Amino acid sequence: MCSVAKTVKILLIFCVLLLTPVQAESTIAVVDELFYRKGTMKKLGAKISSIVKKKISMQTSNDKPHETSNLKRKFYIPERYDENRIVLMVASPELLYVYWDTKKQTEESIRKTASIESVELKKVLRVYAVEEDNVIPIKDIEISDEVRCWYIPMADTNWEKWIVEIGFVSSRDGFFPIMKSNTAFISKTVKNDFVMGSANLMTKSFLADEKSMRENKRLRKVRKTKGQGFIALVLHAHLPFVKHPEYKTSLEERWLFEAITDTYIPLINVFDGLVDDEVDFRLTLSLSPSLICMLKDEFLINRYMEHLNKLIHLAELEVKRTRKDKKVNKLAVMYLEKFNNTKYVFQHKYNSDVVSAFKKFQDLGKLEIITCCATHGYLPFMDMHPTAVKAQVKVAVEVYKSVFGLIPRGIWLPECGYQPGHEKILAECGIKYFFVESHGIYSGTPDPKYGVYSPYETESGTFVFGRDGESSKAVWSSKEGYPGDYNYREYYRDIGFDLDYDYVKPFINGCGARLNTGIKYYRITGQTDEKDFYDRHKALETAELHAGNFFFNREKQIEHIKGTMDRTPIIVAPYDAELFGHWWFEGPDWLGFFLRKVNDSQGILETITPSEYLEYYDEYPSISPAMSSWGWKGYNEMWLNGSNDWIYRHLHKITELMVCAARENKNAGGITRRVLNQMARELLLAQASDWAFIMKTGTLLGYAVLRTEEHVGRFLALHEQLKSGNIDIQMLTSAEKVYTLFKDIDYSVYG
């Protein structure tokens, strides 16, 4: 960019930051008109528009319908709590995080005692390694009185257990402790070359010895098998609970609407086509309880129909507008047909019940639906309160039973986040299996006999499956994987941004900010701003080609693995469901092509569900999996970093208060019971991992912060009312009407 353009960019960005929210909303349209369709200045326009939208999202305006900015701050939460508490958390094997609160009088008393011995005092964090019964001081970290949290690098250490103590060090080397933290456990790790791919099975530690090969030949023929290996495709469907009846329109509710239109209905169409053509297939789908509750919420269903009807009207206008341009008109007709089909399938074929549609395929034996935690709470950070972990799982099981009539056999741990010991809680709730990231298996104890190509039995009797990195990368990666192919549809070019502002404004959102409509006319084309028009026929040809490539590679992978194992291997390939259709438009087509190729082949690969595979053998090797997630760097840092670490002080506090309140108010009834049940909902909603994730990515940051503050703040308010006996009925009733999930929740799950 030339120096003049750079100067313009700086001036414009500075001016944008001075705008009021209402002015910023208008500026979006101006910026888009001036820059978005000018090829050389497009990046500048996008940057300015992004800053404007971020500014809007962080402020409120009383005279506009709701976009993300207008979720008003309803509660203020304290910066700290007047108590003595220090909590140590694991971000990764190389990084610990500690936060603390201290009572003023406690610190003053200890400081006074220490001052008798020494004039000079330093406030420190003393870090200890724990080895059996020995506590070994490793280092002191000097801190100021203003600091209330700290990150501690843990490179080049061999200890797995750690404690941190806060106190004062005198000039005579005396130590005056204030309080000591919980013990944090760091799992051992393996080298990166052990984590990816089937080549690891060639190492000596993973080769089955001849004796075990003879002992494990017994195979239960649950269904006839023609192949030498299996693949378990797992789709994880989740959205945080979002419902805003207080606003005419809501940007965040569109997450659900887009998922239904782009992902869930296209997947249902694929499954229906396979069943109609008598294609035998198996697939596993996790539906989070919060998503199930939204999909069955009458208010949101009506809102979705309003949204879908607007899309149909917009597509009709597009067919008329583009009638003189055959290429674009053909695409406009495609979208009109898509939206009309979506309406027919959703409203008429399945009576506005997406969950029942998926249930049909489970009843047919093609789909295994599993659960997830109640609100997708990140379990490793609840470990200091096992009751909270159990509540997330138990509430999920109850929701599943109310919808499907049975206990779920499997669970998708939110973010694939596993903490050693949680398998015992899963077993108590009736869960038979769960999944972990590949290094959760490879770093487990003992060394995994079959790598990630077999389930393992844990100490609790539940089974764990490991994610296969090789098959995941082929689909997940937008650069190296299939979704990045130049023939596929470009997600980031939408008529909501490309067309005249006044034309699209009625269809995008109440406040008038530019948003995606779902109508996109361009293909990825390449690493260029100049995009070619999308060719649906070529895209489908490419999807079929990629399905064939995926099928071929999985067969070769099975051939390779089979020679190193004494049993039939299973490849576990999990993906976010919303990848298929929403982000990768051709994803559902690719999936259909792949399942047909597996069915038509006489080769070595078959699809299977985890439950079916667990019926194949009488015994499975044992393992204690290691701490892991499928997030950034493979551990907890995505949900524990400088952008979101502040939330855990509050989440841990309200968890403790909930447990105490449940135990102190056993068998409560009437208004007290309503308050306790709503407190349980608020805690679960605050724990959703989505908020920390959004804070890290910086997208819709204001919304994530406000939702966290809202649920923590309302919980604290209800707790105070419970203690005083002065219940705000209006506030309680309002919360119950908005947050309609878990209608049958029983607060005693925390007792």
Side-chain angles (χ1 to χ4, degrees), residues 401-420:
K401 284 169 60 179
S402 70
V403 174
F404 300 104
L406 67 159
I407 295 175
R409 288 181 60 82
I411 190 170
W412 180 265
L413 299 179
E415 317 296 358
C416 233
Y418 170 75
Q419 182 73 18

Side-chain angles (χ1 to χ4, degrees), residues 241 353 485 549 603 634:
F241 190 87
D353 193 342
D485 189 276
N549 176 261

Side-chain angles (χ1 to χ4, degrees), residues 637-698:
E637 285 185 76
M638 189 70 197
W639 302 275
L640 179 60
N641 54 75
S643 68
N644 54 34
D645 52 25
W646 62 272
I647 70 175
Y648 297 105
R649 183 186 310 271
H650 306 291
L651 295 183
H652 291 156
K653 177 62 177 178
I654 65 176
T655 299
E656 183 179 274
L657 293 175
M658 184 71 239
V659 172
C660 291
R663 292 174 179 173
E664 292 170 359
N665 294 274
K666 293 182 178 180
N667 303 315
I671 192 67
T672 300
R673 186 175 188 84
R674 284 177 59 192
V675 171
L676 287 162
N677 284 343
Q678 189 58 35
M679 286 169 58
R681 287 190 195 94
E682 300 295 341
L683 171 55
L684 291 169
L685 287 162
Q687 289 173 331
S689 68
D690 309 88
W691 313 136
F693 182 86
I694 292 172
M695 290 175 202
K696 170 60 178 175
T697 60

Side-chain angles (χ1 to χ4, degrees), residues 562-595:
K562 182 66 175 176
T564 68
M565 294 177 64
D566 61 311
R567 58 178 60 199
T568 306
I570 179 173
I571 296 171
V572 177
Y575 312 100
D576 271 340
E578 287 74 27
L579 170 67
F580 294 84
H582 181 67
W583 298 105
W584 181 19
F585 185 59
E586 301 78 10
D589 302 298
W590 174 90
L591 182 62
F593 287 135
F594 173 73
L595 293 173

Side-chain angles (χ1 to χ4, degrees), residues 5-287:
K6 287 182 178 179
T7 303
V8 171
K9 176 181 178 179
I10 294 170
L11 290 173
L12 281 172
I13 290 175
F14 179 76
C15 292
V16 163
L17 294 174
L18 298 178
L19 296 176
T20 67
V22 176
Q23 292 169 333
E25 290 167 8
S26 302
T27 303
I28 290 177
V30 176
V31 169
D32 288 337
E33 281 298 311
L34 288 175
F35 296 109
Y36 239 87
R37 288 187 285 171
K38 311 296 182 184
T40 57
M41 299 293 281
K42 183 178 177 183
K43 289 184 179 179
L44 169 58
K47 179 68 174 177
I48 297 171
S49 184
S50 173
I51 292 174
V52 173
K53 291 171 189 174
K54 188 171 183 180
K55 180 179 178 64
I56 293 174
S57 72
M58 294 296 290
Q59 302 187 48
T60 62
S61 173
N62 295 323
D63 59 351
K64 292 285 183 178
H66 175 56
E67 203 239 13
T68 185
S69 57
N70 285 6
L71 182 63
K72 299 175 183 178
R73 192 174 191 183
K74 300 175 182 177
F75 295 93
Y76 288 84
I77 59 178
E79 289 188 4
R80 62 191 303 166
Y81 298 93
D82 186 26
E83 62 181 3
N84 293 323
R85 175 196 296 270
I86 181 169
V87 175
L88 184 61
M89 302 171 67
V90 178
S92 76
E94 293 80 34
L95 188 65
L96 297 178
Y97 170 75
V98 60
Y99 74 81
W100 60 90
D101 282 321
T102 55
K103 290 184 177 180
K104 187 176 180 180
Q105 57 268 35
T106 301
E107 197 164 315
E108 287 178 349
S109 175
I110 295 174
R111 191 187 293 271
K112 184 177 180 180
T113 301
S115 298
I116 297 174
E117 180 181 314
S118 173
V119 176
E120 185 178 351
L121 293 174
K122 294 180 180 178
K123 194 174 185 180
V124 300
L125 294 173
R126 178 159 289 182
V127 182
Y128 299 92
V130 181
E131 187 174 32
E132 296 181 352
D133 296 330
N134 298 321
V135 179
I136 307 166
I138 301 298
K139 60 182 176 181
D140 285 352
I141 301 171
E142 187 174 350
I143 57 174
S144 66
D145 288 335
E146 294 76 23
V147 173
R148 292 185 297 116
C149 61
W150 202 269
Y151 284 93
I152 306 172
M154 304 301 294
D156 301 323
T157 59
N158 295 318
W159 291 285
E160 294 184 350
K161 298 181 182 180
W162 296 88
I163 291 174
V164 172
E165 194 169 24
I166 187 170
F168 295 100
V169 173
S170 71
S171 55
R172 299 179 182 178
D173 294 327
F175 182 66
F176 300 87
I178 299 174
M179 54 187 168
K180 187 178 293 186
S181 76
N182 56 296
T183 302
F185 295 84
I186 297 179
S187 298
K188 69 167 186 173
T189 59
V190 294
K191 296 179 181 179
N192 289 335
D193 57 359
F194 280 98
V195 175
M196 297 293 293
S198 58
N200 302 312
L201 289 172
M202 297 304 293
T203 60
K204 185 176 180 180
S205 62
F206 295 142
L207 285 173
D209 59 78
E210 193 172 325
K211 181 180 179 182
S212 66
M213 290 178 72
R214 289 195 303 268
E215 291 176 346
N216 287 292
K217 284 295 182 181
R218 287 193 297 168
L219 179 66
R220 297 177 184 171
K221 299 289 185 179
V222 177
R223 63 184 174 95
K224 188 176 180 180
T225 177
K226 61 187 177 183
Q228 299 178 36
F230 299 104
I231 183 168
L233 295 167
V234 183
L235 303 186
H236 170 53
H238 162 70
L239 286 172
F241 190 87
V242 173
K243 181 181 177 182
H244 290 293
E246 69 272 31
Y247 298 111
K248 184 178 179 181
T249 59
S250 165
L251 171 64
E252 296 79 25
E253 286 177 358
R254 291 171 67 105
W255 299 343
L256 175 66
F257 305 159
E258 290 174 0
I260 295 172
T261 304
D262 298 345
T263 296
Y264 307 150
I265 297 300
L267 286 175
I268 289 167
N269 284 337
V270 168
F271 299 158
D272 266 329
L274 294 170
V275 171
D276 290 345
D277 294 342
E278 298 183 349
V279 174
D280 191 23
F281 70 95
R282 299 291 187 277
L283 190 137
T284 303
L285 174 69
S286 76
L287 294 176

Side-chain angles (χ1 to χ4, degrees), residues 436-603:
V436 297
E437 182 54 275
S438 55
H439 56 281
I441 296 294
Y442 287 116
S443 298
T445 304
D447 287 341
K449 186 176 183 179
Y450 303 115
V452 293
Y453 304 106
S454 168
Y456 295 84
E457 187 171 7
T458 67
E459 185 180 355
S460 69
T462 55
F463 294 88
V464 57
F465 290 83
R467 181 194 192 197
D468 171 52
E470 189 175 325
S471 59
S472 297
K473 189 177 182 181
V475 178
W476 264 117
S477 175
S478 61
K479 294 182 179 180
E480 300 175 51
Y482 304 130
D485 189 276
Y486 293 165
N487 285 328
Y488 288 147
R489 191 188 71 166
E490 172 61 71
Y491 176 83
Y492 295 100
R493 286 293 299 274
D494 189 283
I495 67 169
F497 291 91
D498 286 346
L499 296 186
D500 181 78
Y501 177 69
D502 290 333
Y503 174 74
V504 298
K505 183 177 179 180
F507 303 98
I508 46 183
N509 210 39
C511 76
R514 285 187 180 270
L515 297 171
N516 287 322
T517 65
I519 299 178
K520 308 169 192 291
Y521 291 141
Y522 297 94
R523 65 184 180 91
I524 294 173
T525 308
Q527 301 299 318
T528 174
D529 292 336
E530 301 300 323
K531 303 294 184 180
D532 294 334
F533 286 118
Y534 179 65
D535 186 323
R536 179 62 174 165
H537 179 69
K538 283 186 178 179
L540 288 177
E541 284 184 339
T542 304
E544 186 171 13
L545 181 67
H546 285 159
N549 176 261
F550 188 78
F551 174 71
F552 174 81
N553 287 338
R554 300 293 73 76
E555 279 201 324
K556 293 301 179 185
Q557 189 178 8
I558 288 293
E559 286 178 352
H560 174 71
I561 300 167
K562 182 66 175 176
T564 68
M565 294 177 64
D566 61 311
R567 58 178 60 199
T568 306
I570 179 173
I571 296 171
V572 177
Y575 312 100
D576 271 340
E578 287 74 27
L579 170 67
F580 294 84
H582 181 67
W583 298 105
W584 181 19
F585 185 59
E586 301 78 10
D589 302 298
W590 174 90
L591 182 62
F593 287 135
F594 173 73
L595 293 173
R596 288 176 185 274
K597 288 181 183 297
V598 173
N599 180 73
D600 294 342
S601 74
Q602 299 299 316

